[in-house]
Amino acid sequence: MSSKNSKANRRNFLKLCGLTSLPLMVPSLGLGSSILNEGQKFNPDVLDDDNQLINFVTDGLMFSPQERIQKLMEIDKLHPIKTDFYGNGGAISELEQAFAKLTGKEKAIFVPTGTMANQLAIKLLNKDNTKVIVPENSHIFRDEADAAQAVHNKRLIPVGKNKPHFNLQDLKDTIAYYNSGEVFKSGLGTIVIEHPVRRADGASVPLETIKSISNYCRENGYKLHLDGARIHIAAAYTKVSISEYASYFDTVYISLYKYLNASGGAILAGDAEIIDKMNHQIKIYGGTTYQNWDEAAMALHYLKGIEDRWQKATLVAKQIISSLNKLKEVTISDIDNHTNIYNLVLDESIDARKLAQTLSREYNILLRNPNSKGIVKFSINESILRKDTNYIINAWKKSIKHSRK
Amino acid sequence: MSSKNSKANRRNFLKLCGLTSLPLMVPSLGLGSSILNEGQKFNPDVLDDDNQLINFVTDGLMFSPQERIQKLMEIDKLHPIKTDFYGNGGAISELEQAFAKLTGKEKAIFVPTGTMANQLAIKLLNKDNTKVIVPENSHIFRDEADAAQAVHNKRLIPVGKNKPHFNLQDLKDTIAYYNSGEVFKSGLGTIVIEHPVRRADGASVPLETIKSISNYCRENGYKLHLDGARIHIAAAYTKVSISEYASYFDTVYISLYKYLNASGGAILAGDAEIIDKMNHQIKIYGGTTYQNWDEAAMALHYLKGIEDRWQKATLVAKQIISSLNKLKEVTISDIDNHTNIYNLVLDESIDARKLAQTLSREYNILLRNPNSKGIVKFSINESILRKDTNYIINAWKKSIKHSRK
Amino acid sequence: MSSKNSKANRRNFLKLCGLTSLPLMVPSLGLGSSILNEGQKFNPDVLDDDNQLINFVTDGLMFSPQERIQKLMEIDKLHPIKTDFYGNGGAISELEQAFAKLTGKEKAIFVPTGTMANQLAIKLLNKDNTKVIVPENSHIFRDEADAAQAVHNKRLIPVGKNKPHFNLQDLKDTIAYYNSGEVFKSGLGTIVIEHPVRRADGASVPLETIKSISNYCRENGYKLHLDGARIHIAAAYTKVSISEYASYFDTVYISLYKYLNASGGAILAGDAEIIDKMNHQIKIYGGTTYQNWDEAAMALHYLKGIEDRWQKATLVAKQIISSLNKLKEVTISDIDNHTNIYNLVLDESIDARKLAQTLSREYNILLRNPNSKGIVKFSINESILRKDTNYIINAWKKSIKHSRK
Amino acid sequence: MSSKNSKANRRNFLKLCGLTSLPLMVPSLGLGSSILNEGQKFNPDVLDDDNQLINFVTDGLMFSPQERIQKLMEIDKLHPIKTDFYGNGGAISELEQAFAKLTGKEKAIFVPTGTMANQLAIKLLNKDNTKVIVPENSHIFRDEADAAQAVHNKRLIPVGKNKPHFNLQDLKDTIAYYNSGEVFKSGLGTIVIEHPVRRADGASVPLETIKSISNYCRENGYKLHLDGARIHIAAAYTKVSISEYASYFDTVYISLYKYLNASGGAILAGDAEIIDKMNHQIKIYGGTTYQNWDEAAMALHYLKGIEDRWQKATLVAKQIISSLNKLKEVTISDIDNHTNIYNLVLDESIDARKLAQTLSREYNILLRNPNSKGIVKFSINESILRKDTNYIINAWKKSIKHSRK
């Protein structure tokens, strides 16, 4: 595909997505209102041949269908893609082996969605028990439409309200509360940790907290599940390996479309005893899809070298943030235990809306709208490696100038 | 049956129950330790021909099997008992009609347990919705072994932790929290109120609170269920009729073995649309028992004249409490919105254990042990009408004297 | 209670039950139309002081409430009844121990209904498997309102259509059919046998069939459950002990209100591993009823000496049948593998309706209506021991004479 | 992508798929043994630039990953593909609108699998009822791993054993059997027809049968669901339009990866009342996948002009079959109500294995192995339009000659 086609496709993409698909992204970002604004239309004329979007908005590269098809073609040239058959064989088997290795678990299995991976993990881990303790602000408690209760007959007990995550004492207090106050007990079988925490701007759970909870669970016979949808970004920032994180848990779910840029899909890794039961479970809940090599090939591609790329990305991000913080109009600050999300606040002299529009129209750089408190959630991802760092910094400087109220 | 047999049976009962069955009652009272003590053995020699137990322990008359058989025989003489057939016909139909009238609802149905009545009510009211809001300290949330989640696919959302009951603002805040924070919503269909509240020592929910919640539910299309297991006692103390209470709710559950002295069973009353579905539901959950006229006959018997008896019992209780409070060794105080349970505290000079033993051995009067805070939960029930009030007061006075440390 | 009261109560019972409650019995007998007719009104004047009903209709003694209360009083005099507390302790514990001994199983537990006993047995035995093989004409397949599918997520696979029971080959063929034809298999965990078979007029399953199926199940890792609601009658006729029958099964359900005359209830016996899980299961399905000593005391009473009484009853039945078969108007014939039900056909000269009316009015003997094929299902039970055998035979002879068309 | 790449990719595909992936296809074809044999390796040298596989094996074109990527690129050029977002917007919306129009239903929705589409359709149609009547040899009864029972609390009642499909009388008999024999009824709400019938070699259900069952269901208040996974092929052969077929049903499921060549996915069409509930259902069962425009774009592409292409394909198939039937070594015969599958039997002189190998190696034509009865299931699909008809006929003639035993 020539670069001309690429530009044409980009134009199409922009036309198609600019106004219609972006507002649709809101749910995935867990916000109640539009995160991008109407004015963020692209100016196709600024696109050079290698034009690629830089976004400070989400987890990954935000491929258009055209870019995705192109990328699959490139991947196939490097390493011919083999088909799977209802999730068996081919690229899916490669993917499962790669994730078993990455997590250090006996087995890993492809699951079509993270919701299904989380739900089936707690179903299988919990056995005959009803109670599962989960973080109050976790995906499994607040973003899976009550699947645990409505479909899987589980009672989720939330812990850690108004905190990024719960700690061992919170957990013990909760268990004591239920053990002491209920006469006819149903069992507690499983504890869930989400790490990093999407609803806390990607904050990571400190390793010591994870270890203490893990030890407690093992001593008391509770199973521990990791919702590690975004574990790659935690590993990149904390320098703790995914296999070490995984070692503290019985099962680990990792998303394929956050930092691995697949079009969907999830991995669940754990002991063979659990993972071997998954195929049947996926089937009965209607998740046995025909061909999934597309997700597998993309995820495998981006899995290779991810540590190196993120080491580079975190350095580049530091540079960008440091430079922007030198501008009097911009303040970017850390959140506690942050990974790749920062709080960006603009000086009162700047029109945030105009800034976002300028960045997108002139430089193909996407920025979120400020939230109700005036904070722009500023997300780092691999797209900042697509251009020279100075290009990005200059784009900001110039756009700031053009965005005075 | 002669009074001699009666006394012999009483002796048997005392022998049988004194040490063995009473500790078993602990779970029903929701306490973690024995509420009665070993020393509370009865002295059969004090029993006169009309001997009957007076208890400050529980909701009802605490019939032994022998007393229950005897009572059924008396009831049958007054009004011959007709058999039911798997819950249809006979005394059960009479009972259902009586409760439809009492509650002012279109229909009422016999259900073998309160847990089943509560669970099926919320199942049927909630239709396709998953969420049900319940009081944090309710039977449905903490004493039904997670049946709602484990069996009926409901997500119970508790409200009002550390409070006897929630009010309208608590309810609104909770609904707002779930509406604003969850993207993939499952519906909320039903709200539950427990009134009076067993885990709050029988405290009643103020009528204004009930009315405001009821109005809000009707305006917003939520169904409202009353766990009125002990509604008779609330009505006796608040002077609000059961039919008025029931009018604020879509369904009402009332226990048959609390204040109505049956050996088990429950009533669920509501619109025909709901109640007509219950027979099938009771069957599939395994609750269609063969003959239930025993429960029906007892409950019908004690339902007649219950208001008059309780008017008398509350007056007698006032007299007893007033007299006991004149003793320097005894302080009986109200709890907020109390019904029939009071806090009794003994002076340091008195050995609570010895007092309970003396009352039971010498006067056939049962008293609970103090809880960990030194408070004896002091429950009024119809058994105080079994003897002359002065007999009871004098029994206390004499027992206090014999119970110094 | 004097005999005068007894007669008065009988009169009441007859008045009450004659027309209203008997048609209600139809469902329990599994028939689509009335089994008794309007004319079967009793003539209270024929009742002597010891008057008791003789019935050729059902499994047991058909106690009225009055008779049941009286009988409990008698039982209590022989052996004082101890209360249970939510199914724990007292008479219920005695009952559970008696049934553990009777069946030779580690443990037995009281369950409020046979439907709940059957359903929870297959739920617990089947573990993660979905498929349960059941007799096509069993209670569990056709009389439990699809509880297995609607509540317990089980797939019941019926075997043996148009046969009283299936045999080993039928079972093997069915398993082969499902194993060969389904790609995505869900597991088969449990097989159910009903013995004797209510929908086949109480026919028993031959011991050799039971043994061969039991061996096959053990070799192949399937669990085997016995719906032995009426196992007492099978044991009485086949002379195989209940403990031998039970030895071929993992769990055994026995009804308390068929041949043991309780007002309801069931027993489930099996390994401690299964039975220890039942208390929690019973609770979550809403079956934890407050007091159950009534059922326990009655069942325990009738359990003692049941073999002797039935040995006598089968001899008396033989005498009656032999005598009646000498009448040219009556033909009573065996069904294959019969237990206590026979086919009775009347000569064309006899009006079946008139006969039933005469027997009931003049002799307090109950007989079913003929079914659509002109066959009267003729059931033997212990009530034939209530009178002298000649009294019964003469009653028939005289009633036949008065029942010509 | 040049034709050179195409050939290289083909080579890769052949190498990758030849031995490894094809045996994996067996489950999807519902057979217990390999349908293709090891010798069916391709000879890449015979491939011309336009080389494309002709298969007499399955429903569609059997795209390799490489061909699929290439095809998506072509489709995107014709009509730029718009992304969806968790199944909303973009190509998915276009697809849903196209299927609503095609079926004449109010709405259609994308569902990730046919199993999920079937299961959720019967769940929503059946409401509070438990029973669903299904064809004995249907996908929903035998190929969905008991999802209906294990997950959705439905009792599937199979009808039409040993027949390609049931008719109205079979249905009435079944309903009568359950209505007459069960006392505690659970409701029957839904009937399912599969058309055409995969387990009967794609036989279609006669229109008159469908109409009579549809009328009966409407008269009696039953809902009717069509498992029309392969409805396109039925329409092509019977000349009845999909919208006419759909008009007889309440909901219709159509596969996207049978005749429409998508990599997965399904459509469920029906009244807005049902379809509007699907989004939530899909979410709670874990089926809300991130991006699905790939399936949508492919299906939309192949949907356009499908009638014309199949009109042509059926004519070409007739020509091929007629020519092959003139060979004494080949007999191709119709099955009753056949659509695109025929029975092919080879003369004893021919080695079927050798024939299949020759056809694949020399001519890139795939053929199934004979089944245990010596019959080769001979499937027609659009791939026969990829080459000149004479090329195919000659390939057969020459291969036959080289395949003598």
XYZ file of all heavy atoms in Angstrom, chain A residues 57-110:
425
model
N -4.624 10.233 24.858
C -6.015 9.984 25.222
C -6.239 8.589 25.798
O -6.945 8.406 26.772
C -6.911 10.184 23.975
C -8.320 9.710 24.242
C -6.887 11.640 23.539
N -5.599 7.612 25.212
C -5.996 6.247 25.544
C -4.778 5.350 25.729
O -3.655 5.825 25.886
C -6.984 5.736 24.473
O -7.462 4.460 24.868
C -6.337 5.641 23.114
N -4.998 4.025 25.763
C -3.940 3.082 26.085
C -3.014 2.773 24.913
O -1.864 2.438 25.108
C -4.536 1.756 26.563
C -5.484 1.937 27.721
O -5.120 2.623 28.678
O -6.601 1.386 27.668
N -3.598 2.807 23.709
C -2.830 2.289 22.581
C -2.805 3.229 21.403
O -2.964 4.448 21.539
N -2.646 2.630 20.235
C -2.337 3.421 19.044
C -3.572 3.899 18.287
O -3.443 4.641 17.315
C -1.427 2.611 18.122
C -0.055 2.277 18.737
C 0.711 1.301 17.840
C 0.773 3.550 18.932
N -4.751 3.479 18.697
C -5.986 3.939 18.060
C -5.975 3.720 16.543
O -6.224 4.639 15.765
C -6.230 5.429 18.376
C -6.536 5.699 19.828
S -6.878 7.453 20.161
C -8.464 7.733 19.402
N -5.741 2.481 16.143
C -5.737 2.158 14.716
C -7.096 2.370 14.073
O -8.122 1.939 14.615
C -5.377 0.683 14.490
C -3.924 0.377 14.640
C -3.508 -0.750 15.334
C -2.958 1.188 14.065
C -2.164 -1.059 15.465
C -1.603 0.877 14.190
C -1.208 -0.241 14.890
N -7.083 2.944 12.905
C -8.281 2.914 12.065
C -8.349 1.539 11.416
O -7.366 0.792 11.392
C -8.173 3.978 10.975
O -7.128 3.613 10.080
N -9.515 1.164 10.878
C -9.573 -0.111 10.157
C -8.482 -0.212 9.104
O -7.840 -1.256 8.965
C -10.975 -0.084 9.530
C -11.796 0.728 10.471
C -10.850 1.793 10.976
N -8.248 0.895 8.395
C -7.259 0.868 7.316
C -5.856 0.604 7.857
O -5.099 -0.199 7.305
C -7.292 2.209 6.566
C -8.561 2.437 5.766
C -9.795 2.619 6.647
O -9.733 3.187 7.742
N -10.931 2.117 6.189
N -5.531 1.281 8.935
C -4.210 1.056 9.532
C -4.092 -0.367 10.057
O -3.038 -0.990 9.992
C -3.989 2.047 10.684
C -3.752 3.475 10.209
C -3.845 4.485 11.330
O -4.807 4.376 12.142
O -2.995 5.382 11.405
N -5.195 -0.865 10.604
C -5.161 -2.214 11.151
C -4.930 -3.259 10.059
O -4.127 -4.182 10.211
C -6.461 -2.490 11.909
C -6.500 -3.822 12.651
C -7.729 -3.950 13.532
N -7.711 -2.993 14.628
C -6.967 -3.096 15.727
N -6.172 -4.151 15.868
N -7.003 -2.180 16.655
N -5.643 -3.109 8.944
C -5.466 -4.049 7.833
C -4.010 -3.989 7.322
O -3.366 -5.021 7.125
C -6.446 -3.713 6.679
C -7.895 -3.950 7.138
C -6.140 -4.556 5.452
C -8.947 -3.336 6.200
N -3.537 -2.765 7.165
C -2.162 -2.549 6.700
C -1.156 -3.201 7.659
O -0.220 -3.870 7.247
C -1.935 -1.027 6.640
C -0.523 -0.589 6.296
C -0.207 -0.777 4.813
O -1.105 -1.069 4.017
N 1.065 -0.667 4.464
N -1.401 -2.992 8.925
C -0.490 -3.539 9.922
C -0.509 -5.068 9.908
O 0.535 -5.723 10.015
C -0.880 -2.995 11.318
C -0.020 -3.453 12.473
C 1.450 -3.157 12.324
C 1.791 -1.702 12.547
N 3.285 -1.473 12.487
N -1.687 -5.647 9.741
C -1.771 -7.112 9.674
C -0.982 -7.624 8.476
O -0.316 -8.668 8.559
C -3.231 -7.566 9.572
C -4.010 -7.560 10.872
C -5.499 -7.796 10.603
C -3.482 -8.633 11.841
N -1.057 -6.908 7.382
C -0.318 -7.307 6.192
C 1.183 -7.268 6.462
O 1.922 -8.182 6.092
C -0.694 -6.377 5.048
C -0.213 -6.860 3.720
S -1.079 -5.967 2.389
C -2.586 -6.929 2.304
N 1.627 -6.235 7.136
C 3.053 -6.149 7.485
C 3.464 -7.294 8.411
O 4.517 -7.905 8.234
C 3.346 -4.817 8.200
C 3.262 -3.599 7.297
C 3.236 -2.299 8.094
O 3.651 -2.314 9.282
O 2.771 -1.275 7.548
N 2.622 -7.532 9.400
C 2.930 -8.607 10.353
C 3.028 -9.942 9.645
O 3.934 -10.742 9.886
C 1.853 -8.654 11.463
C 1.949 -7.405 12.347
C 1.952 -9.927 12.289
C 0.778 -7.236 13.315
N 2.089 -10.171 8.738
C 2.067 -11.430 7.999
C 3.330 -11.608 7.159
O 3.792 -12.729 6.954
C 0.816 -11.479 7.113
C 0.708 -12.786 6.353
O 0.629 -13.840 7.030
O 0.722 -12.779 5.116
N 3.857 -10.513 6.667
C 5.088 -10.621 5.865
C 6.259 -11.022 6.753
O 7.124 -11.790 6.350
C 5.384 -9.279 5.184
C 4.656 -9.148 3.857
C 4.932 -7.795 3.209
C 3.933 -7.581 2.062
N 3.758 -6.145 1.772
N 6.286 -10.492 7.962
C 7.380 -10.814 8.896
C 7.267 -12.244 9.404
O 8.275 -12.923 9.626
C 7.315 -9.876 10.114
C 7.555 -8.386 9.847
C 7.195 -7.571 11.085
C 9.029 -8.171 9.470
N 6.056 -12.690 9.546
C 5.822 -13.976 10.220
C 4.445 -14.441 9.782
O 3.443 -14.010 10.363
C 5.882 -13.722 11.739
C 5.642 -14.929 12.579
N 6.518 -15.988 12.647
C 4.611 -15.248 13.416
C 6.039 -16.898 13.480
N 4.883 -16.484 13.953
N 4.391 -15.287 8.778
C 3.084 -15.642 8.187
C 2.080 -16.091 9.252
O 2.390 -16.935 10.092
C 3.432 -16.770 7.224
C 4.850 -16.521 6.862
C 5.491 -15.950 8.089
N 0.910 -15.512 9.172
C -0.119 -15.770 10.187
C -0.836 -17.075 9.885
O -1.264 -17.311 8.758
C -1.141 -14.613 10.229
C -0.435 -13.272 10.474
C -2.191 -14.868 11.298
C -1.354 -12.055 10.334
N -0.940 -17.914 10.889
C -1.675 -19.179 10.732
C -3.062 -19.033 11.341
O -3.216 -18.485 12.435
C -0.940 -20.308 11.459
C 0.454 -20.571 10.953
C 1.086 -21.705 11.763
C 2.607 -21.665 11.631
N 3.248 -22.716 12.449
N -4.032 -19.593 10.673
C -5.411 -19.481 11.172
C -5.618 -20.363 12.388
O -4.980 -21.399 12.553
C -6.427 -19.877 10.085
O -7.733 -19.460 10.540
C -6.476 -21.373 9.844
N -6.516 -19.931 13.249
C -7.019 -20.805 14.312
C -8.352 -21.352 13.841
O -8.875 -20.936 12.797
C -7.210 -20.030 15.612
C -8.322 -19.007 15.504
O -8.273 -18.178 14.558
O -9.250 -19.026 16.315
N -8.900 -22.271 14.577
C -10.188 -22.850 14.248
C -10.983 -22.882 15.546
O -10.695 -23.685 16.427
C -9.980 -24.244 13.669
C -11.193 -24.771 12.974
C -11.579 -24.256 11.746
C -11.950 -25.766 13.552
C -12.701 -24.728 11.102
C -13.081 -26.244 12.920
C -13.457 -25.723 11.692
N -11.929 -21.964 15.666
C -12.677 -21.811 16.919
C -11.745 -21.698 18.118
O -11.917 -22.360 19.139
C -13.647 -22.974 17.127
C -14.791 -22.997 16.136
C -14.831 -23.936 15.129
C -15.819 -22.059 16.207
C -15.888 -23.954 14.210
C -16.869 -22.066 15.295
C -16.898 -23.020 14.304
O -17.932 -23.032 13.408
N -10.713 -20.876 17.964
C -9.824 -20.628 19.086
C -8.773 -21.698 19.314
O -8.018 -21.633 20.288
N -8.715 -22.698 18.430
C -7.698 -23.738 18.554
C -6.666 -23.610 17.434
O -7.016 -23.332 16.288
C -8.330 -25.132 18.459
C -9.287 -25.391 19.594
O -8.895 -25.330 20.758
N -10.544 -25.640 19.266
N -5.426 -23.857 17.763
C -4.389 -23.922 16.746
C -3.915 -22.571 16.243
O -4.357 -21.513 16.696
N -2.971 -22.610 15.306
C -2.491 -21.423 14.605
C -1.990 -20.328 15.532
O -1.366 -20.582 16.574
N -2.282 -19.096 15.144
C -1.782 -17.936 15.886
C -2.291 -17.921 17.325
O -1.612 -17.414 18.224
C -2.193 -16.652 15.173
N -3.475 -18.476 17.543
C -4.016 -18.488 18.908
C -3.165 -19.374 19.819
O -2.865 -19.004 20.957
C -5.498 -18.921 18.897
C -6.374 -17.801 18.330
C -5.982 -19.332 20.280
C -6.527 -16.572 19.220
N -2.766 -20.524 19.311
C -1.893 -21.381 20.124
C -0.570 -20.689 20.428
O -0.062 -20.752 21.560
C -1.622 -22.704 19.404
O -2.792 -23.448 19.330
N -0.012 -20.033 19.428
C 1.237 -19.275 19.656
C 1.046 -18.244 20.760
O 1.891 -18.071 21.638
C 1.639 -18.520 18.385
C 2.310 -19.355 17.329
C 2.675 -18.479 16.130
O 3.501 -17.567 16.281
O 2.086 -18.706 15.044
N -0.069 -17.539 20.655
C -0.363 -16.495 21.633
C -0.477 -17.080 23.038
O 0.066 -16.541 24.013
C -1.678 -15.808 21.251
C -2.135 -14.672 22.150
C -1.387 -13.389 21.803
C -3.648 -14.450 22.018
N -1.198 -18.185 23.135
C -1.406 -18.792 24.453
C -0.078 -19.246 25.057
O 0.167 -19.083 26.260
C -2.401 -19.948 24.341
C -3.812 -19.442 24.015
C -4.825 -20.522 23.686
O -4.408 -21.675 23.428
O -6.031 -20.225 23.673
N 0.779 -19.814 24.202
C 2.093 -20.242 24.705
C 2.921 -19.037 25.145
O 3.594 -19.070 26.180
C 2.811 -21.070 23.647
C 2.234 -22.485 23.532
C 2.467 -23.110 22.171
O 3.394 -22.734 21.468
N 1.614 -24.047 21.797
N 2.846 -17.977 24.364
C 3.621 -16.777 24.707
C 3.177 -16.212 26.048
O 4.002 -15.775 26.866
C 3.469 -15.726 23.609
N 1.883 -16.243 26.303
C 1.398 -15.677 27.565
C 1.632 -16.613 28.753
O 1.788 -16.146 29.883
C -0.068 -15.255 27.459
C -0.217 -13.831 27.009
C -0.365 -13.512 25.671
C -0.150 -12.791 27.930
C -0.467 -12.193 25.256
C -0.255 -11.478 27.531
C -0.415 -11.168 26.181
N 1.617 -17.901 28.493
C 1.971 -18.823 29.577
C 3.401 -18.526 30.014
O 3.713 -18.444 31.207
C 1.817 -20.270 29.114
N 4.250 -18.332 29.025
C 5.657 -18.034 29.321
C 5.793 -16.680 30.027
O 6.469 -16.555 31.049
C 6.446 -18.039 28.009
C 7.933 -18.220 28.203
C 8.646 -18.365 26.871
C 10.138 -18.045 27.028
N 10.773 -17.780 25.733
N 5.134 -15.679 29.475
C 5.234 -14.315 30.022
C 4.805 -14.258 31.489
O 5.400 -13.564 32.310
C 4.351 -13.374 29.205
C 4.316 -11.907 29.648
C 5.603 -11.209 29.239
C 3.103 -11.185 29.053
N 3.738 -14.990 31.802
C 3.193 -14.935 33.157
C 3.804 -15.998 34.067
O 3.592 -15.965 35.279
C 1.665 -15.160 33.140
O 1.401 -16.425 32.502
C 0.954 -14.055 32.368
N 4.502 -16.941 33.470
C 5.055 -18.019 34.268
C 4.015 -18.996 34.776
O 4.247 -19.747 35.726
N 2.844 -18.991 34.132
C 1.774 -19.902 34.546
C 1.805 -21.169 33.685
O 2.363 -21.181 32.582
C 0.414 -19.210 34.392
C 0.201 -18.031 35.339
C 0.187 -18.480 36.793
C -0.055 -17.355 37.766
N 0.228 -17.747 39.151
N 1.162 -22.218 34.172
C 1.145 -23.473 33.413
C 0.477 -23.313 32.052
O 0.934 -23.837 31.059
C 0.390 -24.553 34.203
C 1.180 -25.121 35.360
C 0.386 -26.144 36.171
O -0.591 -26.714 35.627
O 0.740 -26.365 37.328
N -0.622 -22.579 32.041
C -1.364 -22.448 30.782
C -1.994 -21.069 30.666
O -2.231 -20.377 31.661
C -2.470 -23.506 30.698
C -1.942 -24.917 30.506
C -2.990 -25.821 29.909
C -2.393 -27.183 29.548
N -3.432 -28.133 29.129
N -2.269 -20.712 29.427
C -2.993 -19.469 29.159
C -3.989 -19.765 28.052
O -3.775 -20.653 27.218
C -2.035 -18.368 28.728
N -5.106 -19.051 28.062
C -6.132 -19.297 27.046
C -6.713 -17.977 26.557
O -6.865 -17.023 27.332
C -7.244 -20.216 27.593
C -8.198 -20.625 26.459
C -8.009 -19.573 28.743
C -9.123 -21.778 26.808
N -7.005 -17.943 25.277
C -7.654 -16.789 24.659
C -9.138 -16.780 25.028
O -9.817 -17.799 24.941
C -7.501 -16.864 23.137
C -8.268 -15.800 22.397
C -7.746 -14.522 22.245
C -9.519 -16.072 21.853
C -8.458 -13.532 21.563
C -10.237 -15.082 21.172
C -9.698 -13.814 21.032
